[in-house]
Amino acid sequence: MSYTTEINRRLDWVKQRATAAPVSIVLITVGVLLAFSPVGIVYPDFLLPAVDLGILTALYGLVILGVNLQVGHTGLINFGPHLFFGVGAYTMAMMASSGSFAGVTFGLPIPVGLVAAVVLSSAVGLLLGSTSLQLRDDYLAIVTLAGAEIFIRLINGVQPIFGGQTGIQNIPQPIGAVAASYKTGLTATLLIFSGILVAAYAVVTKLTDAPYGRVLRAIRADNDGARSIGKKVGRYKLVVFVLGAALAGFAGAMVPLYNGSIAPTFTTITLTVTIWIGMLMGGAGNNRAVIGGLLIIMGIRLFTRFMNTYSPVGGGFFAPLRLMLIGIVLWAVIYYKPEGIWGDPDRLGEVFTRK
Amino acid sequence: MVSPVQSLLFSLEFGSFIAIAALSFSVIYRVVGMINFAHGEWLTIGGYLGVLIAGQVGSILAIPIVIITSGLVGYGLARTFYRPLRRSGAGPIMLMLGSIAVGYVLRGAFRIVFSSEPRTVILPTQVYRFDAFGGFFVNSTQLLVIGMAVLVIASVHLMFKRTDVGIAMRATGSDEDLAEVCGVDTSSIRRNTWLAMSGVAGLAGFLIAASTNVFPLMGMEYLLLLIAAAILGGIGSAYGAIAGAYIIGGAVTLTTSYLPSTFTTLGTGVAFLILIVVLLIRPSGIADVEVAT
């Protein structure tokens, strides 16, 4: 028996067992154990931005799964995931914070905050979805975007309630509180959030592989056709829209829990643009591909963050260059590979190209 | 407390910015079939060109030069960034995303070239005060803004109704293939639309820069307002856009002047609320254009 077949055999053994459920359980268990262990992990400081951005990537991963369900599978153009992310984040922050510099806080336990965050973001999704999902693609895009802008104006403008530019502080950090050191806490957070992402991936894939997912893609391909074979198209669209909103709201609710505070900068349109770039770059309509695309765009962001720290030009020049880079990457993806790196051009034709 | 007449004047001025901008946005949508999310940056271009040009040649002469140069710049951008996308078969949503990308690139470029400091176009200004109706004032810049809005609206109206180019533009917007079969050179119509409407958008930016100031994110602040106006009026309808613009202008100005100062950012929020409500109740807008599937 040759050496390579032996390796392949072992790889297959690993592949069979390393499915989403055990991987997610292992990641979360290791993360929780690490958080409670008295061990202080040591790694060089320059890796901190990578871990930090990794945490954000895991949370964006939850958002992108939801948006992909809406856009990639069902063809609902949602330009406002940062609205639902923001609703989740602010609900959690205001519920859990025990006294902030500005804004209303309730000092409730975290689980209450989490439930409230998911319920409220779903409710906003339900409100927006039940009223606007019958609109044409481009109008739906504008409504979702306008809805998100209203929310941002609201949290920026009504300082007595939402804390304005300063945001909400003093939010309990459950992982940071028990961990032996800052770096250990951050690493444990990354592991736990990645585990949650893998679990969410498994659930969403289960849904999209099921006949349910086929109905969604039928709606994307031909709205009236799906209706004519007796599918309740409006119901499906609404459920998917609310599901995506809930996922984004859950992801948003995680931010204050590791960050300790929340401010309007976490819910800007750049979040939505990052999500869209990741989705298109990977391949809309394919759950694994969109997470791959997200990893690439977040990798680019990490690279530019390092460049910013170590390059000779000042931040005043570098910050706009980074924004320009986002624009150029987005444009290039649309021009060169709108179906994405791992996407299937035939499956995407209906939504993104001229019929 | 400002007098009602004064508020009305501010609303008229603000509405005029939005009317000129929304008109150009709407005509581009109608003829070219594209929602240009970078249209706010088209305004910013006009504002910065105004700062550069008015410093050289003086104020009134600057206006035609700004219109021509921003028309050329806007057309150049559309040709560089949008035409390749369209040719590669990108649909409306992809073009919309492409324009978001262009917006990012332009805003970054503005910050690098002009820095984040607000600039302003300095025009010689005369202030006229009146004691009637509880007292109000008008300055010559406001009169210029309102006058230019009237002029632009009248010219676009005449172009659409009376000239062959305008009729060809409407034909291209309704059915491009049919227009082409009838002998309309649709690609030249597209070019002329971008040239003319980028010029009009540049004029709006110039007026904003003259009346307040121009900064890299200025366009972002006006983008959703002008989209709101265009949708309120029924997107693709030039006249609807004008009506929508003055309604939005009035709503924003009135909320800003009569709400407590902590809530001033809600002024524009009100405009978006109007936008959403209109889309829900009457998605076709005032002018009744078909939009729901």
Side-chain angles (χ1 to χ4, degrees):
Chain A
M1 189 188 283
S2 80
Y3 199 62
T4 46
T5 47
E6 173 65 13
I7 289 178
N8 275 334
R9 202 176 57 78
R10 294 201 174 182
L11 268 179
D12 284 344
W13 186 87
V14 171
K15 268 186 195 159
Q16 272 165 21
R17 275 151 194 83
T19 51
V23 168
S24 130
I25 291 168
V26 167
L27 279 171
I28 294 177
T29 319
V30 173
V32 171
L33 286 178
L34 183 67
F36 280 103
S37 75
V39 191
I41 298 187
V42 180
Y43 47 84
D45 278 347
F46 75 85
L47 281 179
L48 273 177
V51 180
D52 193 41
L53 218 58
I55 294 173
L56 209 57
T57 308
L59 296 181
Y60 281 13
L62 294 172
V63 181
I64 211 171
L65 282 173
V67 175
N68 186 39
L69 201 57
Q70 298 164 338
V71 181
H73 288 281
T74 323
L76 304 169
I77 307 301
N78 178 5
F79 265 10
H82 61 299
L83 164 64
F84 306 111
F85 191 83
V87 170
Y90 267 83
T91 309
M92 175 59 106
M94 289 165 68
M95 288 285 174
S97 166
S98 47
S100 168
F101 179 70
V104 176
T105 56
F106 298 98
L108 295 169
I110 288 169
V112 178
L114 189 60
V115 171
V118 174
V119 167
L120 255 180
S121 49
S122 313
V124 173
L126 189 66
L127 183 72
L128 213 55
S130 59
T131 46
S132 6
L133 283 179
Q134 84 279 8
L135 294 175
R136 216 174 62 185
D137 287 350
D138 37 3
Y139 282 82
L140 183 57
I142 291 174
V143 169
T144 46
L145 192 62
E149 286 304 313
I150 292 175
F151 174 73
I152 290 172
R153 293 292 195 294
L154 209 60
I155 58 174
N156 268 312
V158 191
Q159 189 162 11
I161 300 175
F162 300 104
Q165 288 288 332
T166 37
I168 309 272
Q169 299 85 30
N170 243 331
I171 301 151
Q173 297 159 271
I175 300 175
V178 295
S181 75
Y182 176 65
K183 283 177 180 171
T184 311
L186 223 50
T187 316
T189 310
L190 176 61
L191 287 171
I192 294 172
F193 285 1
S194 308
I196 295 175
L197 173 62
V198 174
Y201 165 79
V203 173
V204 171
T205 308
K206 198 108 189 154
L207 186 72
T208 54
D209 284 350
Y212 196 89
R214 268 207 303 281
V215 177
L216 299 185
R217 289 185 290 277
I219 292 172
R220 185 190 66 188
D222 186 350
N223 196 56
D224 298 335
R227 185 173 286 137
S228 72
I229 53 169
K231 299 295 175 193
K232 292 193 174 71
V233 170
R235 169 82 57 87
Y236 276 95
K237 283 184 174 177
L238 192 57
V239 168
V240 164
F241 198 76
V242 172
L243 217 55
L247 262 173
F250 179 83
M254 295 293 121
V255 174
L257 290 186
Y258 85 89
N259 198 48
S261 65
I262 192 81
T265 47
F266 279 93
T267 61
T268 61
I269 185 163
T270 302
L271 186 160
T272 292
V273 170
T274 307
I275 296 289
W276 269 84
I277 295 178
M279 184 171 68
L280 295 177
M281 203 190 278
N286 177 339
N287 298 329
R288 195 183 295 208
V290 293
I291 291 179
L294 181 67
L295 286 175
I296 296 177
I297 180 69
M298 294 306 267
I300 295 174
R301 268 180 73 170
L302 178 64
F303 176 70
T304 56
R305 204 189 269 196
F306 276 125
M307 292 289 288
N308 191 12
T309 315
Y310 297 108
S311 75
V313 293
F317 181 72
F318 210 86
L321 264 189
R322 276 180 76 174
L323 290 179
M324 287 178 81
L325 184 71
I326 291 183
I328 291 166
V329 169
L330 178 56
W331 190 89
V333 168
I334 299 168
Y335 184 57
Y336 292 106
K337 220 147 173 52
E339 74 278 6
I341 300 170
W342 300 283
D344 180 353
D346 296 334
R347 286 177 61 183
L348 261 192
E350 311 101 9
V351 182
F352 293 122
T353 52
R354 193 174 291 274
K355 271 167 251 175
Chain B
M1 197 56 137
V2 282
S3 70
V5 177
Q6 188 71 68
S7 291
L8 189 71
L9 264 172
F10 284 140
S11 306
L12 263 182
E13 185 193 13
F14 194 62
S16 297
F17 298 146
I18 303 173
I20 302 175
L23 181 67
S24 56
F25 175 85
S26 212
V27 170
I28 288 177
Y29 180 77
R30 171 84 187 274
V31 178
V32 184
M34 169 181 179
I35 293 187
N36 183 16
F37 260 102
H39 207 73
E41 277 61 51
W42 260 236
L43 306 187
T44 318
I45 289 170
Y48 278 125
L49 284 173
V51 170
L52 296 179
I53 294 166
Q56 300 293 321
V57 300
S59 50
I60 299 305
L61 197 62
I63 293 178
I65 304 180
V66 166
I67 295 178
I68 292 167
T69 45
S70 35
L72 289 172
V73 173
Y75 167 65
L77 286 167
R79 193 187 161 102
T80 316
F81 289 109
Y82 298 154
R83 197 162 76 161
L85 291 185
R86 180 188 299 284
R87 296 245 162 120
S88 77
I93 295 296
M94 283 305 194
L95 280 171
M96 204 189 226
L97 276 168
S99 66
I100 290 180
V102 171
Y104 266 81
V105 173
L106 288 177
R107 286 194 296 276
F110 294 146
R111 264 170 77 183
I112 291 172
V113 179
F114 297 103
S115 87
S116 301
E117 283 298 305
R119 308 274 192 98
T120 185
V121 174
I122 297 155
L123 293 182
T125 310
Q126 208 95 55
V127 182
Y128 310 97
R129 289 186 184 283
F130 298 90
D131 289 330
F133 307 113
F136 64 95
F137 71 90
V138 185
N139 65 38
S140 47
T141 312
Q142 286 169 323
L143 293 177
L144 175 74
V145 170
I146 297 168
M148 287 312 284
V150 172
L151 196 66
V152 167
I153 292 166
S155 335
V156 171
H157 171 81
L158 286 179
M159 183 186 72
F160 265 146
K161 294 289 179 197
R162 296 291 159 83
T163 66
D164 289 345
V165 176
I167 294 166
M169 277 166 83
R170 284 192 287 153
T172 309
S174 306
D175 190 331
E176 194 178 338
D177 295 335
L178 193 57
E180 190 137 28
V181 170
C182 295
V184 174
D185 180 359
T186 53
S187 67
S188 106
I189 291 294
R190 279 172 186 282
R191 187 186 64 226
N192 291 335
T193 305
W194 275 113
L195 275 170
M197 290 307 135
S198 303
V200 171
L203 172 67
F206 172 85
L207 294 172
I208 294 170
S211 178
T212 58
N213 50 42
V214 53
F215 50 97
L217 297 182
M218 180 194 93
M220 275 285 261
E221 304 208 334
Y222 280 90
L223 175 69
L224 276 170
L225 289 177
L226 66 92
I227 292 182
I231 288 183
L232 182 55
I235 198 163
S237 153
Y239 311 115
I242 296 158
Y246 284 105
I247 295 173
I248 295 282
V252 172
T253 315
L254 295 181
T255 25
T256 318
S257 42
Y258 292 111
L259 270 183
S261 60
T262 15
F263 301 127
T264 44
T265 54
L266 295 186
T268 42
V270 168
F272 305 150
L273 203 62
I274 296 177
L275 161 67
I276 290 187
V277 169
V278 166
L279 274 175
L280 301 182
I281 299 171
R282 193 180 164 81
S284 49
I286 304 169
D288 200 6
V289 188
E290 189 194 332
V291 287
T293 44

